[in-house]
Amino acid sequence: AQKITQTQPGMFVQEKEAVTLDCTYDTSDPSYGLFWYKQPSSGEMIFLIYQGSYDQQNATEGRYSLNFQKARKSANLVISASQLGDSAMYFCAMREARSGGSYIPTFGRGTSLIVHP
Amino acid sequence: SQTIHQWPATLVQPVGSPLSLECTVEGTSNPNLYWYRQAAGRGLQLLFYSVGIGQISSEVPQNLSASRPQDRQFILSSKKLLLSDSGFYLCAWSVLADSYEQYFGPGTRLTVT
């Protein structure tokens, strides 16, 4: 079963508008982390934001915020005031503990965001 | 500051040929190292990870292998490439302790013909 589900293969938004990218996850581990990465057409993966399972407040980083709803197991990314440079693939990922103390991330399939002028 | 290098940037190889992709990290010690593959239009699939020299964990069965001959060097290899090995290969590192952030290299685009 998929551990990270991103149901929106593609999203379109007008420049300066806000957009929400959906992400749901599945885990039985009480301690986990959720994060989002941005992948422009160049291919590099850029870390955007992180939310720990025990964090009481939603994470924010500049124009990025993570809408964490633990009971619903969702971790949606909100981008406010979209810019043309925000056009990219966006990946949601979850980190779970493995035996031996390592933390292994699982990535979703991604959402393609296109910002229109 | 820390940097991660991958080479080559692009590679076109015939089916049945060998493969060697290299990843090196500078500016940090004893990192966790990861190899991912991203097929066209797909998410990242974790192939291997390593928590130390000579320690390799494989996530999926395949004809690829990984090695970590030095602390900050991670190599992805194959003896005989398949068409299905085509994709975008990303190396990443994270600090060995409980760290949520991974730092990715620029990637290698492999086309098997």
Side-chain angles (χ1 to χ4, degrees), chain A residues 28-56:
Chain A
S28 57
D29 189 345
S31 177
Y32 54 90
L34 297 152
F35 40 97
W36 281 87
Y37 280 86
K38 172 184 178 181
Q39 187 180 40
S41 57
S42 59
E44 61 186 308
M45 292 287 285
I46 303 168
F47 169 79
L48 295 178
I49 196 167
Y50 169 80
Q51 179 86 40
S53 57
Y54 294 121
D55 293 342
Q56 296 296 316

Side-chain angles (χ1 to χ4, degrees), chain B residues 19-96:
Chain B
L19 173 74
S20 181
L21 303 181
E22 189 162 344
C23 170
T24 59
V25 181
E26 296 177 358
T28 187
S29 296
N30 202 20
N32 279 344
L33 294 170
Y34 308 82
W35 275 113
Y36 291 90
R37 176 171 59 203
Q38 184 179 26
R42 303 289 295 274
L44 272 67
Q45 179 187 34
L46 179 63
L47 301 176
F48 301 96
Y49 70 94
S50 171
V51 299
I53 295 175
Q55 299 178 63
I56 309 294
S57 296
S58 175
E59 288 294 296
V60 292
Q62 61 216 318
N63 70 321
L64 299 172
S65 62
S67 62
R68 184 169 178 175
Q70 300 180 44
D71 180 44
R72 290 169 289 176
Q73 184 184 30
F74 205 21
I75 297 172
L76 183 68
S77 304
S78 174
K79 292 182 179 178
K80 288 185 177 182
L81 283 169
L82 306 172
L83 286 175
S84 57
D85 292 325
S86 293
F88 190 54
Y89 288 81
L90 286 157
C91 179
W93 72 273
S94 66
V95 296
L96 194 58

